[in-house]
Each structure stands twice: as C-alpha cells, then as structure tokens.
Amino acid sequence: NAGVTQTPKFRVLKTGQSMTLLCAQDMNHEYMYWYRQDPGMGLRLIHYSVGEGTTAKGEVPDGYNVSRLKKQNFLLGLESAAPSQTSVYFCASSYRENTEAFFGQGTRLTVV
Amino acid sequence: RKEVEQDPGPFNVPEGATVAFNCTYSNSASQSFFWYRQDCRKEPKLLMSVYSSGNEDGRFTAQLNRASQYISLLIRDSKLSDSATYLCRQPGGSYIPTFGRGTSLIVHP
C-alpha cells in the first residue's frame, strides 16, 4: 500500500519555467490538498479538492493551478515559476474533511 | 489571525522531563483535532487524534478543552527521539483543515 506518492522529489527551475507536481493516492480518499512549507510559516494550504472534478483555493493560491481529473490524482501546476515559490511542497489526502490526513514525502523545489 | 495558534518554541528539555504544548483554535464547531509529528525535512505523520474524551497512548496524552478552545499534548518521560516539531490540525467547517505553525521540541541528554 503506497499511500500518498509525490513526484518529483526534487526539482530546480529557472525563473519563468513551468512545471507540474503530481500527487497520487491509492486509499480512495475524497479530499486532497496541496500545501507549501517555508521556515517559520508552517503548512499553508495552496489548493484543495473535495472530490473528483472539484478544486478550490486555499490560503495562498496565487501563481498555482490545480486539477483533479481522476479521484486518485491531484496535480499542482506552476505556469511561470518565481523565486518566491522556492519551498517544500506537500500533498495530503483524507477520507473526509475531519479524518486523518496522510502526507506524501514532499517535493523540494528551488527556483533560481 | 490564524485559526490555529501554537507557541513555536523551541521547548528545550532534558531527557526524562515532562513537557506540554497547547494549541488554541477558533472554530468552536470542530469535533475532532489531530496532533502530528514532523521530523526535519520529512512529511508530517499522525501522532494522535483528539476527541472530547481526550486520548492517551503510552507516554503521550492529548486533551481537548472546549471552554477555553485549546487542545494540549503532554509528553511524559521525554526521550531524545521525541525531538521534532509537533503540529496541531483543526478540521475546518469550510472544508479547509487548518494546521498550526508547529511547536519545536528539543530533548537533550
């Protein structure tokens, strides 16, 4: 049982480049989340989804887009990367909003 | 104001000490809360769930105080391996579960 898998684990981008982070879960969870974590800022919610085909904005959505075409996958896109998007990105999923959330191992992104 | 507040610490304690963290929350409708442990450069992992009756697991005890709107995590007989950041999470009524910024614990010999 893989749980939540994120790809890639590390990436270096140049300013202005685009990329997509993939999150896959095999637990049949309805809810999926993308967070970023920066020193001293804790986990900040970027976007989330409450089911296949749905997405919603979190606390810090600017500069990011997401899609949930399949229940098991939640994609996070950066259309034009900026140095301010250098961070560690975590994906998580949960069965319901008020149940335990499981996290992927994180993606360390550096934008130069 | 963030919905979930935690003292960032660090809490620096000797092995064997008892240490407690609090996490205050603003959404009074929440029925469940969670404590997560996060090691450096790793993903958060669930430590304990907290419901109205509290929860105890070995050296760890979590309690909910609805009147004052906070949850607590008590660690007895601290071990070096308890050194980590402890995050609390409050499921939100608007589908947005909110995490606190975390409390750093350092257990030293």
Side-chain angles (χ1 to χ4, degrees):
Chain A
N1 189 340
V4 180
T5 303
Q6 288 182 235
T7 53
K9 291 185 170 50
F10 303 92
R11 185 72 185 269
V12 178
L13 283 180
K14 293 183 179 179
T15 297
Q17 286 185 319
S18 63
M19 78 164 293
T20 300
L21 282 67
L22 172 63
C23 177
Q25 53 95 3
D26 61 2
M27 295 173 284
N28 200 35
H29 284 170
E30 292 292 336
Y31 292 70
M32 296 188 75
Y33 317 90
W34 275 107
Y35 293 92
R36 61 177 289 174
Q37 188 173 40
D38 304 291
M41 300 298 292
L43 287 163
R44 292 186 292 171
L45 184 65
I46 305 171
H47 286 280
Y48 65 101
S49 168
V50 301
E52 181 178 314
T54 74
T55 63
K57 295 180 179 179
E59 301 172 72
V60 288
D62 293 343
Y64 306 95
N65 57 76
V66 287
S67 64
R68 183 106 181 261
L69 298 179
K70 293 183 178 180
K71 186 177 183 178
Q72 62 268 35
N73 296 336
F74 195 28
L75 279 63
L76 178 71
L78 285 74
E79 291 186 345
S80 180
S84 60
Q85 293 178 304
T86 293
S87 187
V88 179
Y89 291 85
F90 287 105
C91 175
S93 72
S94 64
Y95 181 63
R96 289 279 184 262
E97 170 257 346
N98 60 351
T99 58
E100 176 186 359
F102 295 81
F103 283 81
Q105 292 181 308
T107 297
R108 283 163 180 75
L109 175 66
T110 301
V111 183
V112 298
Chain B
R1 176 177 176 273
K2 201 165 171 66
E3 293 182 15
V4 179
E5 301 273 5
Q6 291 184 256
D7 181 345
F11 285 64
N12 203 320
V13 303
E15 274 187 290
T18 296
V19 61
F21 317 130
N22 286 345
C23 172
T24 60
Y25 63 90
S26 59
N27 183 355
S28 58
S30 292
Q31 299 296 314
S32 58
F33 300 82
F34 303 90
W35 280 105
Y36 287 78
R37 172 194 169 123
Q38 185 175 25
D39 293 296
C40 186
R41 301 177 70 81
K42 299 284 189 180
E43 74 274 23
K45 293 185 178 178
L46 182 71
L47 179 65
M48 298 183 78
S49 304
V50 190
Y51 303 100
S52 58
S53 57
N55 198 358
E56 183 172 335
D57 183 5
R59 298 182 294 108
F60 298 84
T61 300
Q63 292 192 321
L64 168 61
N65 185 317
R66 287 201 179 278
S68 301
Q69 293 191 198
Y70 71 88
I71 60 172
S72 62
L73 178 66
L74 179 77
I75 305 175
R76 291 179 295 275
D77 189 22
S78 298
K79 312 292 185 188
L80 295 176
S81 58
D82 293 334
S83 297
T85 297
Y86 292 84
L87 302 163
C88 66
R89 171 177 171 246
Q90 174 193 30
S94 58
Y95 303 112
I96 304 178
T98 303
F99 281 87
R101 295 185 180 182
T103 297
S104 175
L105 172 65
I106 301 171
V107 182
H108 58 81

